[in-house]
Amino acid sequence: MTWAISQTDPSGSAWLSLCAEHEHLLFHDSAWEPVLRAGVSDESLAFVITEDGKPRSGALGVVVSAAGIRTGYFSYPYGGLIGSLPDNDTLRDLLRELGRAHNLSQIQLVGYPGEPERDWSGFECTADQTNILPLEGLTPESLLASYKRIRRQEIKRAWKRGVAVEIRDDSDSIDSLYQFYLETMSRTGGVARYKPALIRSVVEELAPRGLARLSVALHEGKRIGAMLVVDSERLSHGLMLVSSAEGRKFEANKVLLHTAVEDAIKACKDGFDFMPSGQSAKGVAQFKTLWHTDEVPLVHRTLVLQPLRAQVWKLMLAAAKRWPMRNLLAWKRGRSS
């Protein structure tokens, strides 16, 4: 048998047939490629690994560049390889070949829920987790009753105070979502990783296809919070959940999340994915456990191809998470929104 690796068109027959044959998430689908290109990097990169000319596995992602250092990132926010893989030595050799062809310092394979287990020796591995709320046996009517009493009271109190949720796709609602996001990152000390173009692309590319929903929390006609959800075949993914300072007083986030889970139940999804919080977001992680979610471990894997450049890349990422670079990044994001 002969294994080979080659770049491919994510809208072409090789990638489409690979996705049709193997279980995957929206983030592996060709529909996600325009979102990556608009909101992460304009240099998208998809590849297939073939056995005797037949596509067996592959990944969809982008090349991210800074200071002349190029990283293959597969993908955002989830990624990794789908399909049947060759043995580990062969896989590393193939990825090195891809790296040389595109001058990559490293190749990062982002873990995802449901990723098959296999031998990953020779890769740098980083542990992470997401939280998934199982939806089996739940109905929209029984969902509220499944919460602890204090959570039910908070949501009902918000409803009594006039908080309502509507699905929107207009430009002003997209802008509000992003402004609430920047405010939330400033309040919590998080890094504003999302570009405004990514959020806009998700809504404009995927909402018309029924794969994304922008929900807006309203009080007396004023936007006070927003949530962005995208759908895989079996899971709904809470991509972003944010609110204004006023929205926090009215429990906007809790009403938005409850409504999103209701929508996932109506769509017959197996679970609602709260998405990874990051290693430093302990408060967010604790919030997710209050919804009776299951912790699902993830592993991100990196194959280093140019050790010196890969180390410089890590140093740049670490600097971006600290003041003043974190504040500068937020300011830049706000200027471009």
Side-chain angles (χ1 to χ4, degrees):
M1 67 182 68
T2 302
W3 291 94
I5 190 168
S6 61
Q7 185 174 350
T8 193
D9 178 0
S11 298
S13 59
W15 186 257
L16 294 178
S17 65
L18 191 65
C19 287
E21 293 173 7
H22 299 279
E23 188 172 337
H24 62 284
L25 300 182
L26 169 68
F27 313 110
H28 301 108
D29 197 277
S30 59
W32 192 247
E33 190 268 344
V35 174
L36 292 173
R37 191 159 23 86
V40 181
S41 170
D42 58 7
E43 187 177 354
S44 61
L45 177 59
F47 65 86
V48 291
I49 296 173
T50 60
E51 181 187 21
D52 296 332
K54 179 176 175 56
R56 296 295 188 188
S57 56
L60 171 66
V62 292
V63 175
V64 180
S65 303
I69 301 173
R70 293 164 55 82
T71 294
Y73 203 64
F74 304 94
S75 181
Y76 191 85
Y78 290 135
L81 290 152
I82 61 170
S84 305
L85 299 175
D87 66 83
N88 202 38
D89 289 341
T90 301
L91 175 62
R92 292 200 309 272
D93 288 343
L94 292 170
L95 292 178
R96 290 190 185 101
E97 179 183 330
L98 180 79
R100 287 192 296 269
H102 293 274
N103 190 28
L104 304 179
S105 65
Q106 56 189 342
I107 292 174
Q108 297 185 349
L109 305 173
V110 182
Y112 60 93
E115 183 178 23
E117 294 185 6
R118 58 160 287 135
D119 174 27
W120 291 100
S121 58
F123 291 79
E124 292 182 359
C125 296
T126 303
D128 199 356
Q129 73 170 50
T130 188
N131 289 68
I132 295 179
L133 176 63
L135 301 181
E136 183 179 2
L138 287 176
T139 65
E141 295 73 26
S142 68
L143 176 63
L144 188 64
S146 71
Y147 300 149
K148 289 185 177 180
R149 183 163 61 102
I150 188 171
R151 181 56 36 83
R152 293 197 302 272
Q153 291 174 338
E154 289 168 340
I155 293 172
K156 289 180 178 180
R157 182 167 61 245
W159 286 337
K160 288 180 180 179
R161 297 174 74 182
V163 177
V165 173
E166 295 182 2
I167 303 295
R168 299 278 185 90
D169 60 4
D170 58 284
S171 185
D172 287 345
S173 294
I174 296 172
D175 291 343
S176 293
L177 167 70
Y178 200 76
Q179 185 57 45
F180 295 155
Y181 167 64
L182 293 179
E183 291 175 11
T184 300
M185 292 300 100
S186 177
R187 184 170 63 244
T188 62
V191 178
R193 298 178 300 165
Y194 293 119
K195 296 179 182 179
L198 185 140
I199 306 306
R200 188 168 297 278
S201 179
V202 169
V203 177
E204 294 178 351
E205 293 279 348
L206 301 181
R209 303 171 62 173
L211 298 173
R213 294 179 301 284
L214 170 57
S215 302
V216 177
L218 302 164
H219 181 257
E220 297 181 349
K222 181 180 179 181
R223 300 180 187 90
I224 60 172
M227 185 172 191
L228 185 60
V229 176
V230 296
D231 284 333
S232 294
E233 183 175 353
R234 296 175 55 189
L235 294 173
S236 287
H237 309 274
L239 201 61
M240 184 180 292
L241 173 61
V242 289
S243 64
S244 65
E246 183 180 4
R248 296 181 69 201
K249 299 176 184 177
F250 284 93
E251 309 285 6
N253 279 7
K254 296 184 178 76
V255 176
L256 284 162
L257 187 51
H258 170 75
T259 304
V261 176
E262 272 191 330
D263 290 341
I265 293 172
K266 293 174 184 176
C268 300
K269 300 300 180 184
D270 293 342
F272 189 91
D273 179 14
F274 281 55
M275 307 293 291
S277 305
Q279 298 298 313
S280 60
K282 301 300 183 184
V284 178
Q286 184 178 13
F287 171 79
K288 294 174 181 180
T289 62
L290 297 176
W291 295 79
H292 304 298
T293 59
D294 293 336
E295 294 183 358
V296 177
L298 307 172
V299 181
H300 310 310
R301 302 168 181 94
T302 302
L303 182 64
V304 175
L305 306 171
Q306 300 171 356
L308 181 58
R309 292 190 173 203
Q311 184 60 34
V312 173
W313 182 268
K314 289 180 181 179
L315 293 174
M316 289 192 298
L317 286 180
K321 297 178 182 179
R322 302 192 191 100
W323 183 92
M325 290 302 295
R326 183 181 63 218
N327 295 43
L328 180 62
L329 181 61
W331 174 80
K332 183 179 178 181
R333 294 282 193 256
R335 286 287 298 271
S336 60
S337 63

